[in-house]
Structures are given as structure tokens and as C-alpha cells.
Amino acid sequence: MQRFLCALSVYFFASVVSAAELEVIHGWLQLPEGEILGQVSGVSAGVHGDVWVFHRASRVWSPNPAKAGPIPDATVWRIDGATGRVLARWGAGTFLLPHGLFVDSRGHVWLTDVGRHQVFEYAEDGTLLRSWGVNKIGGNDSSHFNKPTDVAVLSDGSFYVSDGYVNSRVAKFSADGKYQFEWGRKGVGPGEFNTPHGITVDTAGRVYVADRENDRIQVFTSEGKFITQWKNPALGRPYGVRIGRDGLLYVADGGEQPKSPPERSKITVLNLQGEVVATFGRWGNYDGQFAVAHGVAVAPDGSIYVCDIFGQRVQKLRWAAKR
């Protein structure tokens, strides 16, 4: 009977997904008058129905942002998920080149700065709790990163860092912040990376890495053992990955594959067997379109948030039954 009920629930969920599609919530984000977002590199869903955004304000990508100094504006924004109203801002005069953002189950805000070569853990109010890496000094060992891209924090407080633009590895740290192990090197084979750009973990502990320049997602055990890879035209070039409470993997396609519009830059949804459930969007600057979809977040209520780094905005999506 238990097997029958499990099978029935799987069938029901599959039926619901097959009868649904994604749609954009028009006019969701309510920016303060006269203000715009800069290049939005990171987005994450908080624990209170809020949405967190990490953006570069007036800064754009630079190979050596340290020369320009810290960004003077507040680069971390907290937004009400329901109304799109900006609730709080902090981080002014701190970051060189914002990149990854993850909010853990305690509400702590994890950030990566590819200019500072560091990973940070903050309280919701912007109080720095811990940091890893050496400010402005890149390296490839247990105490250095080199342009780290993203963080995935587990329920026990341990975490993975995708590192990143130079090192092509994933590093694992314990809950008390100690380096444990790493895997990966530059290449195209199983377990190798060419810009591990996004990372997420499912409830079984499997690790999913957006291997951006290899146009694939790789799946590993919690110890870093290669399980499989997914390389599908529907994925394009994966930039960001997150798993929702629905057990689906949401992928932000940054849009560099294929190399010309309009069939580029979108959101692709997969089940954890690597099968495409849905795709949404295309290249463009209208609602529901993306210039470069850089990151994706899934809120507890199922709302989906996509940050568009060149479009300089965050869009809200949701599942809607087909009419």
C-alpha cells in the first residue's frame, strides 16, 4: 500500500507539472524613485518570504576591480517577496565585485566577491560573522580562493564553495568553518570543470554544479565522487542552479549557447533524473525575457526569482495552470 501511495503521489505531481507552465509577475519589483539596480549577480530566497539581491551598483566586470576600490553604494538589498518593496540595504564601501549569494536556513547571508577572492557569512542586519580567503590575494590552497562564484550551505552548517573562474574546483568546509576536502581541475572530463559557476545540494546530499563553459551540469556525491552529467541543448550555458522544495532543479541559462538570439538565455527546469520539465523565456529585455540570466532562487511558496546581470533587474516567476 505504501509503495502504491508513493507511486500515486509521484504520478500526481508529474501530472500537475505537465499541466502547468511558468509565467512572469509583471511589475513586481518596486524600486525606490529615481534608483536602478546595477549588474545583479546573485539572488536568494530568505526564510521570511523575503528576497535577497547582490548587485554591483555602478561597477561593471573588471579584471582588476581592486584598482577602483570598494563600491560606495549598498550592494546587498532585502526585498519583500510579496510586494516587491525594498526593505533594507547594506554593504556600502565593502565589496569589489559582487557575485554569489545564498541565504541559509538560519537567515544568514552568504556572499562571494570575485574581486576580493573571498567568501563571507553575514547576519541579516549586515553584521559580518565570518569570512574565508585572503582579501585581494587569489590562490589555490585550503586558505585561498581565486574568484569564487557561489556557495551551498547544508542544514548542518557545513558548506561547499564553487571556486570558480580560475581554480576550477569545489571545496567543502565543516560547520565550524574548517577546510575539509576539494575536487576538480581544469578540463572537460568527468569531475573536471571549466568555470564552476553555480552550486546546489539536494536533500539526499547530492551536489549539482553548473559547469558553465562546458555547457553542462555535473552531479556528485557529498564526498565529490562523480555520478553523472547532463548536457542538453535546453540547458544552454548553465550559470546558476537551485533546487526548490518541489524537488526540481531550476537552471539559469546565461545565454551564450547558442551564440545568437533569440534561442538563448532562459530558465530550464529539470527533475533530478536530468529530464527537462519546462523551459521559460528567451533573449530580450521585455518582461519574461533575459539578457544574461545569472542566478535563480526558489522561495518556500514556490515563487521563482531570476537575476539578469546585463538586464540589471530581478524578475519574479510562478507556476500557473494552463487555461
Side-chain angles (χ1 to χ4, degrees), residues 11 18 38 68 75-76 78 92 117 122 130 151 158 161 166 172 178 197 231 240 246-247 276 279 283 290 318-319:
Y11 172 79
S18 64
T75 53
V76 183
R78 183 183 182 186
H117 304 291
Y122 281 87
R130 295 185 292 178
V151 182
S158 63
V161 178
V166 178
K172 173 71 186 301
K178 294 180 180 178
H197 196 265
K231 194 176 177 77
D246 53 11
V276 176
T279 61
W283 183 87
F290 311 100
R318 66 183 176 194
W319 289 102

PDB file of all heavy atoms in Angstrom, residues 11 18 38 68 75-76 78 92 117 122 130 151 158 161 166 172 178 197 231 240 246-247 276 279 283 290 318-319:
ATOM      1  N   TYR A  11       2.943  10.211  -9.555  1.00  0.00           N
ATOM      2  CA  TYR A  11       2.130  10.396 -10.752  1.00  0.00           C
ATOM      3  C   TYR A  11       1.351  11.698 -10.675  1.00  0.00           C
ATOM      4  O   TYR A  11       1.280  12.458 -11.640  1.00  0.00           O
ATOM      5  CB  TYR A  11       1.158   9.229 -10.907  1.00  0.00           C
ATOM      6  CG  TYR A  11       0.143   9.449 -12.011  1.00  0.00           C
ATOM      7  CD1 TYR A  11       0.492   9.255 -13.345  1.00  0.00           C
ATOM      8  CD2 TYR A  11      -1.147   9.867 -11.715  1.00  0.00           C
ATOM      9  CE1 TYR A  11      -0.436   9.487 -14.349  1.00  0.00           C
ATOM     10  CE2 TYR A  11      -2.084  10.098 -12.708  1.00  0.00           C
ATOM     11  CZ  TYR A  11      -1.713   9.889 -14.031  1.00  0.00           C
ATOM     12  OH  TYR A  11      -2.623  10.123 -15.026  1.00  0.00           O
ATOM     13  N   SER A  18       3.063  18.669 -15.695  1.00  0.00           N
ATOM     14  CA  SER A  18       2.815  18.611 -17.127  1.00  0.00           C
ATOM     15  C   SER A  18       1.661  19.519 -17.532  1.00  0.00           C
ATOM     16  O   SER A  18       1.545  19.901 -18.688  1.00  0.00           O
ATOM     17  CB  SER A  18       2.511  17.165 -17.545  1.00  0.00           C
ATOM     18  OG  SER A  18       1.313  16.712 -16.947  1.00  0.00           O
ATOM     19  N   GLY A  38      22.221  47.868 -10.372  1.00  0.00           N
ATOM     20  CA  GLY A  38      23.356  47.659 -11.253  1.00  0.00           C
ATOM     21  C   GLY A  38      23.332  46.236 -11.782  1.00  0.00           C
ATOM     22  O   GLY A  38      22.278  45.594 -11.849  1.00  0.00           O
ATOM     23  N   ALA A  68      39.893  50.153  -8.494  1.00  0.00           N
ATOM     24  CA  ALA A  68      38.801  51.120  -8.340  1.00  0.00           C
ATOM     25  C   ALA A  68      38.371  51.284  -6.889  1.00  0.00           C
ATOM     26  O   ALA A  68      37.658  52.240  -6.554  1.00  0.00           O
ATOM     27  CB  ALA A  68      37.609  50.702  -9.198  1.00  0.00           C
ATOM     28  N   THR A  75      25.228  47.299  -1.770  1.00  0.00           N
ATOM     29  CA  THR A  75      25.129  46.292  -2.821  1.00  0.00           C
ATOM     30  C   THR A  75      24.256  45.099  -2.441  1.00  0.00           C
ATOM     31  O   THR A  75      23.948  44.268  -3.286  1.00  0.00           O
ATOM     32  CB  THR A  75      26.533  45.778  -3.186  1.00  0.00           C
ATOM     33  OG1 THR A  75      27.194  45.351  -1.990  1.00  0.00           O
ATOM     34  CG2 THR A  75      27.357  46.861  -3.852  1.00  0.00           C
ATOM     35  N   VAL A  76      23.868  44.992  -1.175  1.00  0.00           N
ATOM     36  CA  VAL A  76      23.001  43.906  -0.704  1.00  0.00           C
ATOM     37  C   VAL A  76      21.632  44.490  -0.388  1.00  0.00           C
ATOM     38  O   VAL A  76      21.512  45.357   0.483  1.00  0.00           O
ATOM     39  CB  VAL A  76      23.592  43.214   0.540  1.00  0.00           C
ATOM     40  CG1 VAL A  76      22.712  42.043   0.959  1.00  0.00           C
ATOM     41  CG2 VAL A  76      25.018  42.747   0.274  1.00  0.00           C
ATOM     42  N   ARG A  78      17.511  43.721   0.556  1.00  0.00           N
ATOM     43  CA  ARG A  78      16.478  42.798   1.023  1.00  0.00           C
ATOM     44  C   ARG A  78      15.125  43.316   0.538  1.00  0.00           C
ATOM     45  O   ARG A  78      14.780  44.469   0.771  1.00  0.00           O
ATOM     46  CB  ARG A  78      16.489  42.703   2.549  1.00  0.00           C
ATOM     47  CG  ARG A  78      15.491  41.712   3.124  1.00  0.00           C
ATOM     48  CD  ARG A  78      15.543  41.751   4.644  1.00  0.00           C
ATOM     49  NE  ARG A  78      14.629  40.791   5.231  1.00  0.00           N
ATOM     50  CZ  ARG A  78      14.388  40.696   6.541  1.00  0.00           C
ATOM     51  NH1 ARG A  78      14.993  41.523   7.394  1.00  0.00           N
ATOM     52  NH2 ARG A  78      13.548  39.792   7.007  1.00  0.00           N
ATOM     53  N   ALA A  92      27.590  48.942   1.754  1.00  0.00           N
ATOM     54  CA  ALA A  92      28.279  50.052   1.106  1.00  0.00           C
ATOM     55  C   ALA A  92      29.745  50.103   1.540  1.00  0.00           C
ATOM     56  O   ALA A  92      30.079  49.860   2.701  1.00  0.00           O
ATOM     57  CB  ALA A  92      27.589  51.372   1.457  1.00  0.00           C
ATOM     58  N   HIS A 117      38.351  37.841  -3.714  1.00  0.00           N
ATOM     59  CA  HIS A 117      38.721  36.422  -3.633  1.00  0.00           C
ATOM     60  C   HIS A 117      38.288  35.824  -2.293  1.00  0.00           C
ATOM     61  O   HIS A 117      39.005  35.015  -1.695  1.00  0.00           O
ATOM     62  CB  HIS A 117      40.223  36.215  -3.816  1.00  0.00           C
ATOM     63  CG  HIS A 117      40.784  36.780  -5.080  1.00  0.00           C
ATOM     64  ND1 HIS A 117      40.479  36.246  -6.325  1.00  0.00           N
ATOM     65  CD2 HIS A 117      41.616  37.823  -5.318  1.00  0.00           C
ATOM     66  CE1 HIS A 117      41.119  36.939  -7.263  1.00  0.00           C
ATOM     67  NE2 HIS A 117      41.794  37.902  -6.677  1.00  0.00           N
ATOM     68  N   TYR A 122      27.177  36.700   6.684  1.00  0.00           N
ATOM     69  CA  TYR A 122      26.643  37.866   7.367  1.00  0.00           C
ATOM     70  C   TYR A 122      25.348  37.524   8.093  1.00  0.00           C
ATOM     71  O   TYR A 122      24.596  36.638   7.669  1.00  0.00           O
ATOM     72  CB  TYR A 122      26.331  38.992   6.374  1.00  0.00           C
ATOM     73  CG  TYR A 122      27.525  39.783   5.909  1.00  0.00           C
ATOM     74  CD1 TYR A 122      28.279  39.357   4.811  1.00  0.00           C
ATOM     75  CD2 TYR A 122      27.904  40.965   6.537  1.00  0.00           C
ATOM     76  CE1 TYR A 122      29.371  40.087   4.363  1.00  0.00           C
ATOM     77  CE2 TYR A 122      28.998  41.709   6.100  1.00  0.00           C
ATOM     78  CZ  TYR A 122      29.728  41.258   5.017  1.00  0.00           C
ATOM     79  OH  TYR A 122      30.802  41.994   4.576  1.00  0.00           O
ATOM     80  N   ARG A 130      31.625  35.758   9.676  1.00  0.00           N
ATOM     81  CA  ARG A 130      32.856  35.032   9.365  1.00  0.00           C
ATOM     82  C   ARG A 130      33.253  35.329   7.915  1.00  0.00           C
ATOM     83  O   ARG A 130      32.414  35.729   7.095  1.00  0.00           O
ATOM     84  CB  ARG A 130      32.676  33.525   9.534  1.00  0.00           C
ATOM     85  CG  ARG A 130      32.397  33.065  10.949  1.00  0.00           C
ATOM     86  CD  ARG A 130      32.360  31.547  11.054  1.00  0.00           C
ATOM     87  NE  ARG A 130      31.218  30.968  10.350  1.00  0.00           N
ATOM     88  CZ  ARG A 130      30.977  29.646  10.261  1.00  0.00           C
ATOM     89  NH1 ARG A 130      31.825  28.791  10.819  1.00  0.00           N
ATOM     90  NH2 ARG A 130      29.914  29.193   9.633  1.00  0.00           N
ATOM     91  N   VAL A 151      28.041  29.586  -3.258  1.00  0.00           N
ATOM     92  CA  VAL A 151      28.080  28.833  -2.002  1.00  0.00           C
ATOM     93  C   VAL A 151      26.800  28.019  -1.868  1.00  0.00           C
ATOM     94  O   VAL A 151      25.716  28.492  -2.220  1.00  0.00           O
ATOM     95  CB  VAL A 151      28.203  29.770  -0.781  1.00  0.00           C
ATOM     96  CG1 VAL A 151      28.300  28.969   0.512  1.00  0.00           C
ATOM     97  CG2 VAL A 151      29.407  30.689  -0.912  1.00  0.00           C
ATOM     98  N   SER A 158      27.586  22.969   7.433  1.00  0.00           N
ATOM     99  CA  SER A 158      28.732  22.796   6.538  1.00  0.00           C
ATOM    100  C   SER A 158      28.382  23.372   5.171  1.00  0.00           C
ATOM    101  O   SER A 158      27.207  23.589   4.859  1.00  0.00           O
ATOM    102  CB  SER A 158      29.120  21.326   6.422  1.00  0.00           C
ATOM    103  OG  SER A 158      28.071  20.568   5.831  1.00  0.00           O
ATOM    104  N   VAL A 161      31.880  25.490  -1.678  1.00  0.00           N
ATOM    105  CA  VAL A 161      32.183  26.695  -2.455  1.00  0.00           C
ATOM    106  C   VAL A 161      32.616  26.283  -3.848  1.00  0.00           C
ATOM    107  O   VAL A 161      33.510  25.432  -3.997  1.00  0.00           O
ATOM    108  CB  VAL A 161      33.303  27.520  -1.792  1.00  0.00           C
ATOM    109  CG1 VAL A 161      33.642  28.747  -2.647  1.00  0.00           C
ATOM    110  CG2 VAL A 161      32.911  27.943  -0.381  1.00  0.00           C
ATOM    111  N   VAL A 166      39.067  30.762 -11.818  1.00  0.00           N
ATOM    112  CA  VAL A 166      40.474  30.423 -12.034  1.00  0.00           C
ATOM    113  C   VAL A 166      40.784  28.995 -11.593  1.00  0.00           C
ATOM    114  O   VAL A 166      41.400  28.229 -12.331  1.00  0.00           O
ATOM    115  CB  VAL A 166      41.392  31.422 -11.294  1.00  0.00           C
ATOM    116  CG1 VAL A 166      42.860  31.037 -11.491  1.00  0.00           C
ATOM    117  CG2 VAL A 166      41.141  32.845 -11.781  1.00  0.00           C
ATOM    118  N   LYS A 172      34.970  21.873   0.139  1.00  0.00           N
ATOM    119  CA  LYS A 172      33.996  21.598   1.202  1.00  0.00           C
ATOM    120  C   LYS A 172      34.567  22.047   2.545  1.00  0.00           C
ATOM    121  O   LYS A 172      35.743  21.806   2.858  1.00  0.00           O
ATOM    122  CB  LYS A 172      33.687  20.087   1.259  1.00  0.00           C
ATOM    123  CG  LYS A 172      32.811  19.642   2.436  1.00  0.00           C
ATOM    124  CD  LYS A 172      31.373  20.095   2.277  1.00  0.00           C
ATOM    125  CE  LYS A 172      30.523  19.784   3.508  1.00  0.00           C
ATOM    126  NZ  LYS A 172      30.454  18.356   3.866  1.00  0.00           N
ATOM    127  N   LYS A 178      36.125  24.963   8.952  1.00  0.00           N
ATOM    128  CA  LYS A 178      37.416  24.377   8.606  1.00  0.00           C
ATOM    129  C   LYS A 178      37.371  23.683   7.241  1.00  0.00           C
ATOM    130  O   LYS A 178      36.404  22.985   6.927  1.00  0.00           O
ATOM    131  CB  LYS A 178      37.844  23.372   9.688  1.00  0.00           C
ATOM    132  CG  LYS A 178      38.116  24.033  11.034  1.00  0.00           C
ATOM    133  CD  LYS A 178      38.532  23.009  12.078  1.00  0.00           C
ATOM    134  CE  LYS A 178      38.811  23.687  13.425  1.00  0.00           C
ATOM    135  NZ  LYS A 178      39.184  22.697  14.472  1.00  0.00           N
ATOM    136  N   HIS A 197      30.289  27.578 -11.885  1.00  0.00           N
ATOM    137  CA  HIS A 197      29.715  28.907 -11.686  1.00  0.00           C
ATOM    138  C   HIS A 197      28.571  28.935 -10.676  1.00  0.00           C
ATOM    139  O   HIS A 197      28.277  29.969 -10.089  1.00  0.00           O
ATOM    140  CB  HIS A 197      29.226  29.437 -13.031  1.00  0.00           C
ATOM    141  CG  HIS A 197      28.970  30.902 -13.073  1.00  0.00           C
ATOM    142  ND1 HIS A 197      27.715  31.453 -12.864  1.00  0.00           N
ATOM    143  CD2 HIS A 197      29.798  31.949 -13.295  1.00  0.00           C
ATOM    144  CE1 HIS A 197      27.793  32.766 -12.973  1.00  0.00           C
ATOM    145  NE2 HIS A 197      29.045  33.102 -13.218  1.00  0.00           N
ATOM    146  N   LYS A 231      24.024  17.260 -20.270  1.00  0.00           N
ATOM    147  CA  LYS A 231      24.417  18.202 -21.318  1.00  0.00           C
ATOM    148  C   LYS A 231      23.308  18.159 -22.358  1.00  0.00           C
ATOM    149  O   LYS A 231      23.190  17.197 -23.115  1.00  0.00           O
ATOM    150  CB  LYS A 231      25.761  17.796 -21.905  1.00  0.00           C
ATOM    151  CG  LYS A 231      26.444  18.848 -22.761  1.00  0.00           C
ATOM    152  CD  LYS A 231      27.806  18.357 -23.203  1.00  0.00           C
ATOM    153  CE  LYS A 231      28.493  19.340 -24.128  1.00  0.00           C
ATOM    154  NZ  LYS A 231      29.051  20.495 -23.395  1.00  0.00           N
ATOM    155  N   GLY A 240      23.449  29.529 -13.122  1.00  0.00           N
ATOM    156  CA  GLY A 240      23.002  29.361 -11.745  1.00  0.00           C
ATOM    157  C   GLY A 240      22.119  28.143 -11.594  1.00  0.00           C
ATOM    158  O   GLY A 240      21.377  27.793 -12.522  1.00  0.00           O
ATOM    159  N   ASP A 246       9.922  21.628  -4.285  1.00  0.00           N
ATOM    160  CA  ASP A 246       9.212  20.688  -5.142  1.00  0.00           C
ATOM    161  C   ASP A 246      10.123  19.587  -5.672  1.00  0.00           C
ATOM    162  O   ASP A 246       9.694  18.717  -6.416  1.00  0.00           O
ATOM    163  CB  ASP A 246       8.544  21.421  -6.309  1.00  0.00           C
ATOM    164  CG  ASP A 246       9.519  22.301  -7.102  1.00  0.00           C
ATOM    165  OD1 ASP A 246      10.750  22.190  -6.887  1.00  0.00           O
ATOM    166  OD2 ASP A 246       9.035  23.109  -7.927  1.00  0.00           O
ATOM    167  N   GLY A 247      11.409  19.616  -5.293  1.00  0.00           N
ATOM    168  CA  GLY A 247      12.337  18.593  -5.737  1.00  0.00           C
ATOM    169  C   GLY A 247      12.798  18.754  -7.171  1.00  0.00           C
ATOM    170  O   GLY A 247      13.375  17.823  -7.744  1.00  0.00           O
ATOM    171  N   VAL A 276      14.054  17.277 -18.745  1.00  0.00           N
ATOM    172  CA  VAL A 276      13.533  18.634 -18.804  1.00  0.00           C
ATOM    173  C   VAL A 276      12.035  18.620 -18.538  1.00  0.00           C
ATOM    174  O   VAL A 276      11.265  17.938 -19.219  1.00  0.00           O
ATOM    175  CB  VAL A 276      13.819  19.267 -20.180  1.00  0.00           C
ATOM    176  CG1 VAL A 276      13.176  20.649 -20.271  1.00  0.00           C
ATOM    177  CG2 VAL A 276      15.330  19.373 -20.412  1.00  0.00           C
ATOM    178  N   THR A 279      10.689  24.859 -19.826  1.00  0.00           N
ATOM    179  CA  THR A 279      11.589  25.969 -20.118  1.00  0.00           C
ATOM    180  C   THR A 279      10.756  27.243 -20.186  1.00  0.00           C
ATOM    181  O   THR A 279       9.569  27.203 -20.497  1.00  0.00           O
ATOM    182  CB  THR A 279      12.344  25.774 -21.447  1.00  0.00           C
ATOM    183  OG1 THR A 279      11.397  25.701 -22.526  1.00  0.00           O
ATOM    184  CG2 THR A 279      13.180  24.508 -21.426  1.00  0.00           C
ATOM    185  N   TRP A 283      15.934  35.363 -25.155  1.00  0.00           N
ATOM    186  CA  TRP A 283      16.738  36.561 -25.097  1.00  0.00           C
ATOM    187  C   TRP A 283      15.883  37.801 -25.357  1.00  0.00           C
ATOM    188  O   TRP A 283      14.983  37.785 -26.193  1.00  0.00           O
ATOM    189  CB  TRP A 283      17.851  36.473 -26.142  1.00  0.00           C
ATOM    190  CG  TRP A 283      18.793  37.628 -26.116  1.00  0.00           C
ATOM    191  CD1 TRP A 283      19.918  37.762 -25.342  1.00  0.00           C
ATOM    192  CD2 TRP A 283      18.685  38.835 -26.877  1.00  0.00           C
ATOM    193  NE1 TRP A 283      20.524  38.972 -25.579  1.00  0.00           N
ATOM    194  CE2 TRP A 283      19.783  39.652 -26.531  1.00  0.00           C
ATOM    195  CE3 TRP A 283      17.770  39.296 -27.811  1.00  0.00           C
ATOM    196  CZ2 TRP A 283      20.001  40.906 -27.084  1.00  0.00           C
ATOM    197  CZ3 TRP A 283      17.969  40.552 -28.378  1.00  0.00           C
ATOM    198  CH2 TRP A 283      19.079  41.337 -28.012  1.00  0.00           C
ATOM    199  N   PHE A 290      15.352  37.601 -20.962  1.00  0.00           N
ATOM    200  CA  PHE A 290      16.585  37.793 -20.208  1.00  0.00           C
ATOM    201  C   PHE A 290      17.724  38.146 -21.157  1.00  0.00           C
ATOM    202  O   PHE A 290      17.826  37.585 -22.243  1.00  0.00           O
ATOM    203  CB  PHE A 290      16.944  36.518 -19.436  1.00  0.00           C
ATOM    204  CG  PHE A 290      15.804  35.933 -18.647  1.00  0.00           C
ATOM    205  CD1 PHE A 290      15.082  34.855 -19.139  1.00  0.00           C
ATOM    206  CD2 PHE A 290      15.440  36.475 -17.425  1.00  0.00           C
ATOM    207  CE1 PHE A 290      14.017  34.317 -18.435  1.00  0.00           C
ATOM    208  CE2 PHE A 290      14.368  35.942 -16.708  1.00  0.00           C
ATOM    209  CZ  PHE A 290      13.657  34.862 -17.215  1.00  0.00           C
ATOM    210  N   ARG A 318       6.230  32.356 -11.535  1.00  0.00           N
ATOM    211  CA  ARG A 318       5.476  31.383 -10.745  1.00  0.00           C
ATOM    212  C   ARG A 318       4.922  30.324 -11.691  1.00  0.00           C
ATOM    213  O   ARG A 318       4.805  30.529 -12.908  1.00  0.00           O
ATOM    214  CB  ARG A 318       4.327  32.056 -10.004  1.00  0.00           C
ATOM    215  CG  ARG A 318       3.244  32.628 -10.912  1.00  0.00           C
ATOM    216  CD  ARG A 318       2.176  33.353 -10.122  1.00  0.00           C
ATOM    217  NE  ARG A 318       1.188  33.977 -11.026  1.00  0.00           N
ATOM    218  CZ  ARG A 318       0.313  34.890 -10.634  1.00  0.00           C
ATOM    219  NH1 ARG A 318       0.285  35.287  -9.366  1.00  0.00           N
ATOM    220  NH2 ARG A 318      -0.544  35.410 -11.500  1.00  0.00           N
ATOM    221  N   TRP A 319       4.582  29.177 -11.106  1.00  0.00           N
ATOM    222  CA  TRP A 319       3.873  28.139 -11.860  1.00  0.00           C
ATOM    223  C   TRP A 319       2.400  28.543 -11.981  1.00  0.00           C
ATOM    224  O   TRP A 319       1.799  28.996 -11.015  1.00  0.00           O
ATOM    225  CB  TRP A 319       3.976  26.787 -11.143  1.00  0.00           C
ATOM    226  CG  TRP A 319       5.332  26.165 -11.188  1.00  0.00           C
ATOM    227  CD1 TRP A 319       6.255  26.145 -10.193  1.00  0.00           C
ATOM    228  CD2 TRP A 319       5.918  25.477 -12.295  1.00  0.00           C
ATOM    229  NE1 TRP A 319       7.375  25.476 -10.590  1.00  0.00           N
ATOM    230  CE2 TRP A 319       7.193  25.039 -11.873  1.00  0.00           C
ATOM    231  CE3 TRP A 319       5.477  25.161 -13.576  1.00  0.00           C
ATOM    232  CZ2 TRP A 319       8.050  24.327 -12.719  1.00  0.00           C
ATOM    233  CZ3 TRP A 319       6.327  24.445 -14.417  1.00  0.00           C
ATOM    234  CH2 TRP A 319       7.593  24.029 -13.992  1.00  0.00           C
TER     235      TRP A 319
END
